[in-house]
Amino acid sequence: MSSPQSPISLLRSIPASARPRTLAAIIEHGSEHDRSLFAPALAELALLSPISARPDAPPPEPIRACLVAWPWIPSEFRRLLAASDLDWPAAASALLETAEPMHRSRLASAARDLPGVLALQPRLLSDPDAGVVQTAARGLFERAAEASQARDHRRAVVLARVLTQALDTFDTHRQRPVIEAVWMLLESPAFTLSLGEPGKALLRWLRTSRDASRSAARTVLRTGEHRWLRARAIAWLAEPATQAAAIDRLSRATDHADHECTLLRAHLLARPTRARVLGLLSPVIKPVNIEGKAVRRPIEGGPVPNRAHVQDLSPRAARALPGYLGLLGITSSDRAMAAEPLLVSDDPRTRLALARMLDDAAARDLLFDPHPLVSRHAAYRWSLAGVASQGDAKTGAKTDADRARLRQARRLERAPSPLVRRVASDQADRLDFLRWPSPMARVQARRLLLRDRSALVSQLRDALANTDDDKRLRAAMVAASLGLGSDLREPLTAILLERKASDPVASTAVRALLRSPDADAELTSAALTHPDPRVRANTIEELARGGADGVRTLEDQLESWLSDRAHRLRAAAVRAALAEPKLAPVGKSALLDMLSDDRAMHRVSGAWLACRARAVDAAAILRDLALRDHDSAVRARADWALRRLASPTMKASA
């Protein structure tokens, strides 16, 4: 057979009836060169075989010969033969009757490519020859793997029916690949039900069977060497029949690949029916003696990855680790310890997932993260993890924890992220009501007032006695807003009587004193003769609100106040006159005089007052000031007043 024509000559010399069997023998016992020459010829003979109209007719010899020589037929011819209308089940049934174990073993191999022959696999599993049984079992597993990988639902239904029959005879063949094929096919309970009646039969077997096959199924799920069995353990974790085996599987992880497989499916474990079962895991973090100290570390081979395994995880698995640790039921400190290697991750999404999981102490490591989303979530986590204790239950004083947290909040107010600064500011306001007038501080002060008025007064008294003017000013603002002038009369009066030429604390303290019901004429006189114009201006405003006595005082001294050199006091007097109906004409005239005053600050105060009083009659003068006044401050304030007068819905606040 040295020339290319010799195979053709040989084929022509063989009788047609003996040609298929002869080709099969040559392929089986010949060299690789002979097989490559004659295997296509045998496939062509099978494809050209006539189809008998008689149902009881024996299958053509070329078809049987193809089954015997199937391992050597090229893959392209296998696809053609599988897609043809040839009666492969009949040929396979006839071949099963042969006494040659090797032929039956090759029939089991052919079942991988021929769906019609697949139904005969349960019979091959009962073959007396062990090699045939093993080949059939491996063939079932390979078909299950192909069906699962290709997501071929039709093939999966056929395979489920065959596997149900194979499980009925498990006590006879005891083939582990059959159980592995079942697990390969059963991706999840929902997918099993989608297979129709064959899938329901497999599900009934898994739930109710008491024979050796179900025990083997649990053993394979628990200790099988295939990595994909971990995915099946996650999918079937909530199933009572497989729960114990699945827990045993998930409680062990030998390398980072096992952890990777689990973490990539951590979203499935978040389902409540599965998350509850995770609590059955044995302790996953234990104390380890390191240099004489007990340090908590993940147990080797346990479900929590150690530092080396975490560093080998893919970015997607690393992002799932914080959420997975939150499902294990371990303490927050243990979660922070296990996830600590992720703090230096280059992936901002991983650090973001970490910020959502960590507690107060651990989240502080991410508060200054360069990515704004990470730092923002860390700040929210920090603010929610440590709620203010509202101080001591009896005295209302801050506890040590409150003071420490307030120091943290003040440091975070210098963070680079504006969102972190805002969260820190809100937290500091919640802890310190002297950060008035922020909304959080207002709420905190009013809450303390309702809960313990004496404690609030005591803290305000201490703040007013402080040497820090800012703290004294804020305490006076709280006292004025909450009407605590009577409770704090002594320290507030002492501040007023210091009679400094410029004292913002005294200007606020006089408001608190004059709003109290026990304000007397002596106190009013001291305030009206104070050297600071702001104190006198605030006194006039409070007198205008003080009822008949205040109005009489206003009427008696209005003329002198309207000619005062201090623009603040003059504006306060004009505003008080405009608010009183019988003094309104005098107030309007005084307002126009302020707008045309030679002194720039008086014109600025007049523009501000025209806006606050909604003096539309002064619009023409304001327009002239905004366009022609030589002082830039006057032009700016007049323009501001005009814009607010033109917009009635806009607040006229300075």
Side-chain angles (χ1 to χ4, degrees):
M1 294 188 291
S2 58
S3 64
Q5 290 79 16
S6 56
I8 299 176
S9 302
L10 178 62
L11 284 174
R12 290 176 178 175
S13 64
I14 300 174
S17 58
R19 194 172 295 168
R21 189 174 301 173
T22 304
L23 288 175
I26 294 174
I27 294 171
E28 182 176 356
H29 302 290
S31 63
E32 290 296 330
H33 178 71
D34 293 335
R35 290 169 181 167
S36 63
L37 290 175
F38 292 106
L42 179 59
E44 291 177 359
L45 285 178
L47 289 171
L48 297 175
S49 298
I51 300 176
S52 176
R54 294 171 50 196
D56 57 343
E61 186 63 29
I63 300 179
R64 296 182 58 184
C66 274
L67 290 175
V68 173
W70 192 264
W72 298 284
I73 294 178
S75 58
E76 59 270 19
F77 283 96
R78 291 186 187 182
R79 288 192 293 270
L80 291 173
L81 291 170
S84 65
D85 295 331
L86 299 176
D87 192 0
W88 294 108
S93 299
L95 192 62
L96 277 177
E97 307 301 329
T98 180
E100 293 291 338
M102 187 61 68
H103 292 176
R104 299 195 299 275
S105 178
R106 288 171 188 164
L107 177 61
S109 177
R112 293 183 53 210
D113 303 300
L114 299 173
V117 183
L118 182 63
L120 299 176
Q121 292 287 66
R123 292 176 59 186
L124 291 171
L125 290 172
S126 302
D127 197 278
D129 186 82
V132 176
V133 175
Q134 293 174 3
T135 303
R138 285 196 302 270
L140 280 175
F141 175 74
E142 292 171 358
R143 286 301 301 270
E146 292 173 359
S148 177
Q149 184 176 5
R151 311 294 297 175
D152 190 334
H153 192 270
R154 182 182 59 84
R155 290 166 61 183
V157 171
V158 175
L159 195 59
R161 186 178 293 109
V162 173
L163 287 173
T164 303
Q165 299 174 9
L167 290 172
D168 292 338
T169 59
F170 182 81
D171 290 339
T172 303
H173 57 77
R174 298 274 181 169
Q175 289 297 307
R176 187 184 181 98
V178 174
I179 303 298
E180 294 174 347
V182 173
W183 280 122
M184 175 62 77
L185 188 67
L186 303 184
E187 297 181 6
S188 66
F191 179 77
T192 304
L193 289 174
S194 72
L195 299 178
E197 190 56 40
K200 293 178 181 178
L202 285 176
L203 202 57
R204 285 194 298 271
W205 160 78
L206 193 61
R207 290 173 173 172
T208 63
S209 177
R210 293 293 182 268
D211 56 15
S213 59
R214 198 180 78 153
S215 177
R218 291 197 297 266
T219 301
V220 168
L221 185 63
R222 180 182 290 109
T223 62
E225 60 183 6
H226 300 289
R227 190 97 55 191
W228 52 264
L229 284 169
R230 180 172 293 271
R232 298 299 184 268
I234 294 174
W236 290 86
L237 183 60
E239 184 67 33
T242 58
Q243 198 172 89
I247 281 291
D248 287 348
R249 182 84 191 192
L250 296 177
S251 64
R252 300 186 308 274
T254 57
D255 54 16
H256 87 279
D258 285 340
H259 293 297
E260 181 96 8
C261 181
T262 302
L263 292 174
L264 291 180
R265 295 163 180 81
H267 60 284
L268 299 176
L269 292 171
R271 183 178 175 180
T273 53
R274 297 189 181 101
R276 285 194 295 267
V277 183
L278 283 181
L280 300 176
L281 284 173
S282 57
V284 295
I285 297 179
K286 294 181 178 179
V288 179
N289 191 344
I290 299 179
E291 297 180 356
K293 296 182 179 180
V295 182
R296 295 182 68 80
R297 289 289 184 267
I299 60 174
E300 290 298 327
V304 177
N306 57 30
R307 182 179 294 271
H309 292 159
V310 171
Q311 293 173 349
D312 293 334
L313 293 174
S314 66
R316 184 182 165 198
R319 288 195 295 271
L321 178 59
Y324 170 70
L325 293 174
L327 298 173
L328 292 180
I330 57 180
T331 63
S332 59
S333 58
D334 286 343
R335 287 199 302 270
M337 180 275 302
E340 183 182 0
L342 299 180
L343 289 172
V344 295
S345 172
D346 295 332
D347 184 9
R349 290 177 294 180
T350 300
R351 301 197 304 275
L352 178 60
L354 188 60
R356 290 170 172 167
M357 180 272 294
L358 293 177
D359 62 354
D360 172 16
R364 275 178 262 166
D365 292 324
L366 296 172
L367 288 171
F368 292 88
D369 193 277
H371 198 282
L373 283 179
V374 178
S375 58
R376 183 183 70 178
H377 278 82
Y380 284 155
R381 190 74 179 180
W382 170 81
S383 65
L384 296 175
V387 180
S389 66
Q390 310 301 336
D392 186 85
K394 293 183 178 179
T395 65
K398 296 183 184 67
T399 63
D400 291 340
D402 287 340
R403 284 190 287 269
R405 192 165 185 80
L406 182 58
R407 289 194 297 270
Q408 295 171 11
R410 288 171 176 167
R411 285 194 295 268
L412 288 175
E413 286 183 308
R414 301 189 295 269
S417 171
L419 294 171
V420 175
R421 294 198 298 269
R422 187 182 69 188
V423 172
S425 179
D426 289 345
Q427 187 73 358
D429 294 344
R430 187 181 292 113
L431 288 163
D432 186 6
F433 66 85
L434 287 179
R435 290 170 63 92
W436 196 277
S438 71
M440 288 292 182
R442 288 176 181 270
V443 171
Q444 177 73 355
R446 294 184 186 279
R447 183 184 293 122
L448 186 56
L449 176 64
L450 295 174
R451 190 180 66 178
D452 193 341
R453 184 186 183 96
S454 60
L456 176 62
V457 171
S458 175
Q459 293 186 54
L460 289 175
R461 193 182 302 275
D462 294 340
L464 291 171
N466 199 289
T467 57
D468 185 357
D469 283 344
D470 182 67
K471 183 173 290 188
R472 296 169 71 200
L473 175 61
R474 294 181 184 276
M477 293 170 64
V478 175
S481 298
L482 300 183
L484 298 175
S486 299
D487 302 82
L488 298 168
R489 182 181 178 86
E490 292 181 5
L492 291 173
T493 303
I495 293 173
L496 183 64
L497 295 179
E498 291 176 0
R499 303 185 70 81
K500 295 181 180 178
S502 177
D503 191 358
V505 181
S507 63
T508 307
V510 75
R511 288 187 180 276
L513 288 169
L514 293 179
R515 289 177 183 178
S516 62
D518 55 351
D520 52 18
E522 182 181 356
L523 180 63
T524 304
S525 176
L528 288 174
T529 58
H530 198 280
D532 189 347
R534 287 174 295 187
V535 175
R536 301 199 304 273
N538 288 351
T539 303
I540 293 173
E541 290 184 359
E542 295 302 326
L543 286 174
R545 301 190 186 105
D549 294 339
V551 173
R552 281 194 297 270
T553 305
L554 179 63
E555 291 175 348
D556 294 340
Q557 303 191 33
L558 180 61
E559 185 176 351
S560 63
W561 290 338
L562 292 179
S563 59
D564 198 279
R565 291 181 300 175
H567 63 91
R568 290 178 183 270
L569 187 148
R570 188 180 179 188
V574 173
R575 188 179 184 186
L578 290 172
E580 188 62 29
K582 60 182 179 180
L583 298 177
V586 178
K588 290 181 180 180
S589 176
L591 173 60
L592 297 177
D593 291 342
M594 287 191 69
L595 291 173
S596 58
D597 198 286
D598 295 337
R599 292 162 291 188
M601 290 308 299
H602 284 252
R603 297 197 300 276
V604 170
S605 296
W608 171 83
L609 183 57
C611 177
R612 296 301 297 264
R614 294 293 179 186
V616 182
D617 298 340
I621 301 177
L622 290 172
R623 192 174 298 107
D624 184 70
L625 291 175
L627 294 175
R628 296 182 177 87
D629 198 280
H630 64 276
D631 191 281
S632 60
V634 176
R635 292 196 302 271
R637 179 61 73 177
D639 181 69
W640 169 85
L642 282 171
R643 283 188 283 108
R644 279 153 180 77
L645 285 174
S647 176
T649 59
M650 186 175 296
K651 290 183 178 180
S653 58

